[in-house]
Amino acid sequence: MSLTKVLEAHRPELSSYEKLYKHFHSNPELSNQEVETASTVVNHLRKISPDFDIRSNIGGHGVAAILRNGPGPTVLSRADMDALPIEERTGLAYASTKRVVDLHGGEQPVMHACGHDMHITCLLAYAELMVSARNQWRGTIVLVFQPAEERGTGAQSMVDDGLYDPNRHNVPIPDVVFSGHVVPARAGVIGVRPGTMASSCDNLRVTFHGRGGHASMPERLVDPIVMASSAVLRLQTLVSREIHPSEHAVVTCASFISGTSAENVVSDDATITIDIRANNQTTRQKLYDGVLRIVQAESAASNAVAVPTVVRTRSFPVTINDAMVTARVGEAFRDHFGPGDHSYVADYPRLSFSEDFCILASAVEKPSLLFAYGCTAPDKVDQAQKEGILESIPGNHSSLFAPQIFPTMQIGIDAYAVSALAWLSETQVNELGR
């Protein structure tokens, strides 16, 4: 039986998953606070089948569910669960109105502005499909519902907490690891590419130390605002003057904080936050070293009272799709979804954002693959394309981000299932055993 026929025969009824998606969307939780989300996931898995071996509270609120179905490969598929401190402005009937106290004690609005609610829902529906299709595959599936992806710490926390440790959570070591991510492209489109699929990310918080005082007495000051401003401008030259134009690289100063509301008071300190992105480790290290060089040099040039304080706040690896895995899954995607600009794209553009799921594979030296699938209503894409304003389509992390539920959900479910069955179907398992 072809993989498409397996999916058509066993794909679950999706109206209940539409309700589940809306529940997740309306009830987002920030990184490291995914208590109710994890509980809902566990309860739903138990309803699907009592045969799921479920491990909870891994690396925080992480969940792993194992379904064994005879001898064969082990495939791990992952979804992230956390939301963002963004106030939703979509106007959806199921929009989030939640506000919570974050880990620093401040009240924050919360929104699933990155699509993790779709990822969770698709992985749960995939679980039901695989239970129903048991006669069509052999091996073991592992479902990982990961916390704190937005902080870049969730996957590593699960590994550090003994995800694969036989004396801790004892999750089987996978032969391959998969994950998917919604993107602001046409709903119905799915794509992969070999090699770099998503960029690295390094975030820094840099505080420049000056000597504050009265604005009318500049000779008594070591002005941290001028110091930090000079660094912000100099940082713009890292990519334009030190990185080859063929390389994807971004250095962004995302915030600048200094002073009080008093117009005549200069603060002692100024803090900037920096976001560094690259598509390979060499460029990543060059940019990181360049940032440190510049902030230290500008501080020294301004006669700062102390060297700048540099705190690394987030770090994501480069996401690299294994070539062999990409070829195998790509062939299965092409057969199921059909090739074309509005369906399966074999050489999908690199994603500019970052992911940490590949740590679940690299921690045990196994290959991984990230696929991307569109979630924007096709008519909106067509209109924006006609007007030449594709950049106006709300993307991930926008307060207006609102995935079209269908066909996005079915594409995501099918992608999880097809990627797994490319390893686990009876035909594939027999070929691997030869």
Side-chain angles (χ1 to χ4, degrees):
M1 184 183 293
S2 71
L3 297 189
T4 295
K5 288 183 177 178
V6 171
L7 268 61
E8 289 174 347
H10 298 283
R11 188 185 295 120
E13 187 273 319
L14 296 185
S15 62
S16 63
Y17 283 98
E18 179 180 5
K19 293 177 183 175
L20 185 61
Y21 166 76
K22 290 178 178 178
H23 168 78
F24 286 131
H25 189 88
S26 299
N27 295 278
E29 294 176 296
L30 292 177
S31 304
N32 300 305
Q33 298 185 17
E34 309 93 339
V35 178
E36 294 302 323
T37 303
S39 177
T40 301
V41 164
V42 169
N43 290 337
H44 191 83
L45 287 169
R46 286 175 176 154
K47 288 178 185 177
I48 291 174
S49 173
D51 294 330
F52 276 111
D53 181 1
I54 300 172
R55 321 286 166 82
S56 300
N57 301 315
I58 308 175
H61 303 295
V63 175
I66 305 157
L67 181 66
R68 296 177 175 86
N69 193 33
T74 296
V75 171
L76 188 154
S77 301
R78 167 275 206 177
D80 33 14
M81 298 190 293
D82 53 332
L84 289 156
I86 294 174
E87 188 158 13
E88 183 163 356
R89 297 192 298 120
T90 62
L92 295 168
Y94 52 92
S96 169
T97 58
K98 285 192 69 174
R99 302 185 74 86
V100 302
V101 175
D102 65 20
L103 296 178
H104 304 291
E107 186 179 83
Q108 297 274 12
V110 191
M111 176 191 176
H112 265 301
C114 201
H116 296 183
D117 46 353
M118 182 64 72
H119 303 167
I120 305 165
T121 307
C122 290
L123 194 61
L124 288 171
Y126 152 79
E128 184 172 343
L129 186 156
M130 295 297 279
V131 168
S132 176
R134 271 181 171 177
N135 291 335
Q136 303 299 323
W137 62 274
R138 287 191 289 127
T140 299
I141 60 171
V142 178
L143 293 82
V144 167
F145 297 86
Q146 181 202 308
E149 186 277 337
E150 295 293 351
R151 301 307 308 161
T153 58
Q156 190 65 56
S157 293
M158 293 187 77
V159 171
D160 291 345
D161 192 30
L163 177 70
Y164 302 118
D165 187 338
N167 297 315
R168 285 286 290 153
H169 301 289
N170 196 27
V171 169
I173 293 176
D175 293 290
V176 64
V177 176
F178 296 116
S179 191
H181 210 298
V182 292
V183 293
R186 178 188 298 271
V189 172
I190 184 167
V192 296
R193 65 176 295 118
T196 300
M197 185 66 182
S199 68
S200 66
C201 172
D202 294 289
N203 291 148
L204 303 176
R205 181 180 292 111
V206 178
T207 300
F208 294 89
H209 303 293
R211 184 169 61 243
H214 202 292
S216 70
M217 303 175 186
E219 77 282 2
R220 293 175 176 267
L221 308 178
V222 176
D223 194 328
I225 296 177
V226 173
M227 194 187 313
S229 297
S230 297
V232 169
L233 292 176
R234 176 69 66 178
L235 288 169
Q236 308 312 304
T237 67
L238 275 174
V239 173
S240 66
R241 291 297 177 268
E242 298 188 30
I243 303 299
H244 193 280
S246 65
E247 287 289 325
H248 169 78
V250 180
V251 176
T252 302
C253 294
S255 67
F256 191 122
I257 304 165
S258 185
T260 66
S261 58
E263 298 91 338
N264 61 347
V265 177
V266 176
S267 175
D268 286 330
D269 299 324
T271 298
I272 61 173
T273 57
I274 303 170
D275 185 274
I276 309 166
R277 309 271 172 162
N279 271 350
N280 62 68
Q281 189 59 35
T282 300
T283 302
R284 179 189 190 184
Q285 191 63 52
K286 186 172 184 178
L287 289 174
Y288 187 84
D289 292 344
V291 168
L292 295 184
R293 183 187 78 235
I294 286 172
V295 300
Q296 290 164 359
E298 290 292 349
S299 182
S302 298
N303 197 27
V305 301
V307 296
T309 301
V310 180
V311 178
R312 196 169 189 168
T313 57
R314 295 197 313 162
S315 181
F316 295 78
V318 179
T319 297
I320 298 176
N321 283 346
D322 180 84
M324 182 275 288
V325 174
T326 304
R328 185 161 162 180
V329 171
E331 182 180 356
F333 277 5
R334 183 198 63 211
D335 292 344
H336 176 69
F337 296 109
D341 292 342
H342 293 179
S343 49
Y344 169 61
V345 179
D347 191 23
Y348 200 81
R350 293 187 184 98
L351 304 175
S352 58
F353 59 73
S354 305
E355 258 287 356
D356 72 340
F357 95 98
C358 58
I359 292 170
L360 300 174
S362 62
V364 285
E365 300 182 340
K366 297 296 181 179
S368 62
L369 179 140
L370 175 70
F371 54 84
Y373 54 114
C375 65
T376 304
D379 61 324
K380 292 183 179 178
V381 174
D382 291 340
Q383 185 63 32
Q385 215 158 19
K386 182 179 177 182
E387 297 175 8
I389 53 170
L390 277 173
E391 69 279 359
S392 69
I393 293 174
N396 307 71
H397 293 213
S398 165
S399 61
L400 299 173
F401 186 65
Q404 178 171 285
I405 298 176
F406 297 108
T408 305
M409 183 183 295
Q410 183 172 321
I411 297 295
I413 297 165
D414 285 9
Y416 276 123
V418 171
S419 57
L421 290 170
W423 255 256
L424 301 173
S425 69
E426 287 283 356
T427 302
Q428 295 292 345
V429 173
N430 290 336
E431 288 181 357
L432 287 169
R434 288 176 184 170

